[in-house]
Structure formats: structure tokens, C-alpha cells
Amino acid sequence: MRPLPFLFFLSRLAPLFISAGPFLLPASAQTTVQAPTLLVDIDHRPAVSLDGAWHYIVDPYRNGWGDDPDKPNLNGYAKNAHFNGTDLVEYDFATSPVLQVPGDWNSQHDNLLLYEGLVWYEKDFSHQPKAGMRTFLHFGAANHRASVFVNDVHVCDHEGGFTPFDCEVTNVLKPEGNFVVVAVDDSRRPDTVPAMKTDWWNYGGLTRQVFLVDVPQSYVDDYSLQLRRGAGDQIEGYVHLVGSKAGSALTLRIPELNVDRESTVGEDGNAKFSFAPQGLVRWAPDHPKLYRIQIKAGEDHLDDDIGFRTVEVEGDRILLNGKPIFLRGINTHAEAPYRGGRAWSQQDADTLLGWVHELHGNFVRLAHYPHDEHMTREADKLGILVWSEVPTYWSIDWKGAHALESAKQQLSENIRRDHNKASVILWSVSNETPKSPERLIFLKALVDEAHAQDPTRLVTSALLTHMDGKTAILDDPLGASLDVLGSNEYIGWYNGKPEDAPLYTWQNPYNKPLIMSEWGGGAKSGLHGEINARFSEEMQAEIFKQQLAMLSKIPFLAGTTPWVLMDFRSPTRQLPNIQDFYNRKGVISNKGIKKKAFFVLQDYYAKLAH
């Protein structure tokens, strides 16, 4: 097992990340907090949901945090005091309004639509601790920085708005009268990833599910089972145990394949496996076969549903299970269809990926950050291949150690959560980053990290395209380190006219597969005009027609993901009565109405699929 990088975030808060060991000190004595962990497959464990109404306090001046920017005042809002009419208390969660969790605060209250800063969440709950068990508090995501307090004890912190984390709370829970307070801060900062400017809404809050999970003293926290490239149907992997002695026995079963294997735990906590089952059916888009796996280790047992497939590169082709595949894809943001706000639910995943299926797509780029785990779970079931990305986006602090470590942490957490998802075939390390020596060093470090942590998948990036007249040249120096090239180009929208697209020729000095990772144009649903009328459905459809004519002539093209499946909120898109804070490049409106371009793409993909 590769260890999860130390959670360094908030460089000013680094002193908080000194481990307190397996047990937390009493609140009155505590001066340190634990770094959170990440339990793989936690959504398949029995859990107690903390979703629903949470009380909240908006704190733009950080009054509840205290005067020390390096650590919270434990007598501030984290203490969860109550106004009783006698003592001077200037806040009270019990009488404060509520927000729904999961959910961002921006889309729940009109007066918070543009708010960025600190918001405090509080919830009372009951949980009966079980003898001999450990309890973790799980957060699917909290954007962007979170400090977590349980029963007046600071239990953990986390940075990164799109990846999950788990805080151990075993020794701070009580049989009755528990409460959790979470300080969530979505302020944009120049030394974080992403940094100061993005083309999507900075949805703040506890944006994904929250629940409590009990595990035994010795428990499975990570495992990996993958087909080894070039080895027939040889499955290799490991199961990692926490709190187990070397030599302890562990069993792995795959009943449908008649697999019943035992292994022993090594000094590193790993029990390794290697076997070639008879009758294995490989996972593929046209047959997304999943097998139930069962892990038994002492008192702990865990099930998962896993598909087995290989993905690799041969020249300028992508091979799935040893055969070339063309990726008929589209981009999507984690924007909730119909209701708006951050997508998080099974219903959101069903709708978004259902539209990909309607397009006859077999591929989706989850831009520009890790999406909710419902998306990758559903992609596994539907047979939709996935490009998964971390938010190293546009210009960030390429020279800063904190930014690099933040990017590495988010990449590691993304890989750790989804490395058993057959649908995920590409890890992307960045999007549209301007060239510089410092940027190249930074991104190559992420590429190396991804290859080291997961050698079974391909690594890519969405690169800016070098245009020399009507010649497009894929010569970004980062391309030398990537397995697959991604290229963003907007011929017909930002560059030239739609009819210019078929006149372009493409050069690929790296002789690697190319995914045209972004192209398209904006259209407001229901706005009609001539094919050169900006923001009309007709112009968007014409851009798609001309782009597809160009793409069909690129011999090394391995796939494409036009921008974008559905309109999404963006603070940079301000044209009144057209954009109104929405990026309108979706082939579907944010209200679910399909535009003309949807049907152009659908027809093209239908022909490719048959």
C-alpha cells in the first residue's frame, strides 16, 4: 500500500497536524489534532447517516474562529454554547437557521449565492459506541477547508473541496448528547489548488454525504485488485489492514469465479494476492460485468463490486482489454440537473450519465475536479469510461510548496477512493495551464505521483493547443510525460469561424493517442437565429458539425469530449439575459432541455457505435 500523503494543507495551520496518536486528549488539554484518513469502499459499510438539517452561522469576520489565524479558539463557536438569558453568549446554533446536508450554501439561500468565506455547521446526534469498535466520521466532501469538532474536541482538519476524508471520533463520543461542529471555509487563495479564478461556481459547504461508521479494532482501510497488463487474466493486488499483527490471516472470496484465497499480513500491513480465475469475463462498455468480492479479516468483513479490465497505449491508440477503442465522450461538471447547485446524489448521477447514454457515448470527462462517488459507481454499472481530474486549473502558484503538496494530496485521495472502479481509465493532472519551466516541474511531479500510485491506468492532461496558422501542433513539453494527450481548442467560437475547423491540420510529434478534450460554443436554450448568430442554438449546432468534420480527419484521434453536457453556473459569465452567471456551452440546458447540438452529436456517435 502506498501511504496517503501527510495532510499539510493550510500552511499556516501546519502545527495542527502533529498526530495525537490513536487517542485524543481531553478537550481541556488538547493542543493537537489528528490528520484524517480515507477508508476505501466506505460506502459499502453499515453507516449512520448525519444527512439532513444542520444549523449554520455565517461568519464573514471569523468571529467564531478567534484571533489566532493558526488555530481555532476552542471557546469560540466550536464550543457550541447556548444563550440562556444570563450568561453573555453572542451566538446559538440551536436558534440559528438550517442548511440541508449534503448541499452547498450558495444554492439554498438567495442571500448566500455570492458568499465566500467561513460558515459554521452544527448537528446534534445520538450514537451508541460499541465495545471493541472504532468510530469514524465520514465526509464525502467539504469545500474547501474544514475543521471538525466533536463534543468540544478538535478532531481533524482537511483541505481540498472535492475529495472525501474520515476523522476518528472513537474516544470523544458519548452515549447521549453528542454534537458535531464543522467550520467550512471556501475562500479562494493564491497558494491553493484550485487558486483564485475558475470557470465554475465556488459552491461552499458540506456538499456531499456525512455519516458515522463503526469498524473493528483491526480493520481494512484499503485494497486493490486489478488485472495485470499482458498477463492474460492474472489478477493482482493487496488488502491493507490497520491494527493487525504480521502473520494474521485474511481471506478473499469472489463467489461467482469460485475464488477463495487466503493470505497473511506482512510487516507493512499488506496481504498480497495473485491468481488467475477460470471463466473471467472482462468489464467493457458493451458488457460492464461486475463481480462481488468479499474480504474477511478477523472481525472485519467488507464487500465490493469490481470489474476487471486492462487499459494501455499502443502507438497512437488506446487499448481496452487489448483492443483499440474510440472514446465517444462529453465533459460534465458536477452541477445538479434541474434544481441547480453542486451535484451529489444518486439521482444526479442517474440523470447526467443517462444523458451520456442517450448520446450513444461510452466515455465522460468529469471536469475539473473529482466528482461524487455516485458518479463513478454508476459509470461502473452503465459501462461508461471515465476521465477523472484534479483541480490544477489555469494559473496557480507553480513555485509554492504548499500548492504542489495540495495537488498531490487531492490526486492521492482521488486515486485511493476510485482505484477499484473499472470505469476509471484516465487520471488527469491539470487543465489549460500556461507553459512555464516551473509549471512543467510541478505537473511532471503529479504525473510521476499518479504513475507510482496506480500503474494500471493512463495519465493525461487537458493541454492548450499551439496554433500556427491553420496547423495545430501538439507540442506542449508536458506531453512527453503523458500516456495520452488531451487538447482544448475552440475553433469556431474563440478562434475563427465555424467553417474554419475543417481547414485545420493536426501534428502529433509525440505519436501518442489524442483525446480532443474540449471544443464547442455557447447557446442559450430557445434562442434561435442564423448560423453566425452568437449564442443561438443554430450557431452551436453548426460549430458541432464543422468540428466533427475536422475530427474525422485526424488519424491519431482516440476520442473526444466536447464542452459540455449541461449548462453550469460560472461567475465569469455575466452577459445579461443570455448567460446570467451560466456557462451556456451545454448541449442541454440546466433545466434539462436538449439543444440542437445534442442531436448533432447524438447522430454522429450513433454512427460510430454501429
Side-chain angles (χ1 to χ4, degrees), residues 392 394-400 403 430 433-434 436 438-439 442-443:
T392 317
W394 288 357
S395 294
I396 63 171
D397 182 13
W398 302 115
K399 297 180 182 180
S430 64
T433 51
S436 72
E438 296 79 13
R439 168 261 194 184
F442 186 110
L443 294 183

Side-chain angles (χ1 to χ4, degrees), residues 250-254 258-263 273-277:
L250 182 148
T251 302
L252 170 68
R253 298 183 68 243
I254 310 178
N258 297 312
V259 170
D260 192 342
R261 299 274 170 164
E262 186 172 290
S263 183
F273 291 91
S274 180
F275 52 91

Side-chain angles (χ1 to χ4, degrees), residues 23-32 74 151-154 171-172:
F23 301 103
L24 292 164
L25 299 173
S28 59
Q30 186 175 333
T31 58
T32 61
L74 294 179
N151 296 335
D152 201 17
V153 178
H154 190 178
N171 295 293
V172 298

Side-chain angles (χ1 to χ4, degrees), residues 354-481:
W355 284 334
V356 176
H357 254 188
E358 276 194 68
L359 284 167
H360 303 287
N362 63 5
F363 180 53
V364 66
R365 179 183 176 212
L366 302 181
H368 286 294
Y369 40 76
H371 289 214
D372 187 87
E373 192 168 7
H374 284 109
M375 287 290 282
T376 48
R377 288 285 189 201
E378 192 62 21
D380 267 11
K381 296 173 185 176
L382 293 178
I384 296 176
L385 298 158
V386 170
W387 162 321
S388 185
E389 192 160 285
V390 291
T392 317
Y393 182 90
W394 288 357
S395 294
I396 63 171
D397 182 13
W398 302 115
K399 297 180 182 180
H402 178 75
L404 178 58
E405 288 305 307
S406 178
K408 284 183 176 181
Q409 173 201 317
Q410 293 178 63
L411 176 65
S412 177
E413 290 171 340
N414 192 29
I415 291 173
R416 183 174 169 109
R417 188 193 75 177
D418 282 346
H419 64 173
N420 289 306
K421 310 289 198 310
S423 56
V424 180
I425 60 168
L426 288 155
W427 303 120
S428 173
V429 298
S430 64
N431 176 79
E432 288 187 3
T433 51
K435 298 175 188 176
S436 72
E438 296 79 13
R439 168 261 194 184
L440 183 60
I441 293 170
F442 186 110
L443 294 183
K444 285 179 68 176
L446 293 187
V447 172
D448 291 344
E449 190 81 13
H451 279 141
Q453 293 195 30
D454 184 5
T456 71
R457 287 178 175 81
L458 307 176
V459 179
T460 190
S461 174
L463 308 173
L464 294 167
T465 304
H466 171 204
M467 300 292 188
D468 184 4
K470 292 293 192 294
T471 302
I473 307 170
L474 301 166
D475 59 358
D476 189 312
L478 182 63
S481 300

Side-chain angles (χ1 to χ4, degrees), residues 109-183:
H109 295 285
D110 290 343
N111 63 338
L112 295 178
L113 176 64
L114 293 169
Y115 180 73
E116 294 179 297
L118 180 63
V119 171
W120 295 81
Y121 287 76
E122 188 276 336
K123 188 176 184 69
D124 299 333
F125 65 95
S126 297
H127 186 72
Q128 291 294 330
K130 299 176 182 177
M133 302 289 281
R134 299 169 70 167
T135 304
F136 286 87
L137 180 58
H138 172 82
F139 295 88
N143 189 36
H144 179 74
R145 288 161 295 276
S147 294
V148 182
F149 311 83
V150 175
N151 296 335
D152 201 17
V153 178
H154 190 178
V155 293
C156 75
D157 297 282
H158 183 264
E159 178 179 294
F162 308 99
T163 48
F165 60 100
D166 301 296
C167 312
E168 184 166 7
V169 294
T170 307
N171 295 293
V172 298
L173 292 178
K174 301 179 293 184
E176 301 289 343
N178 293 286
F179 66 87
V180 53
V181 174
V182 188

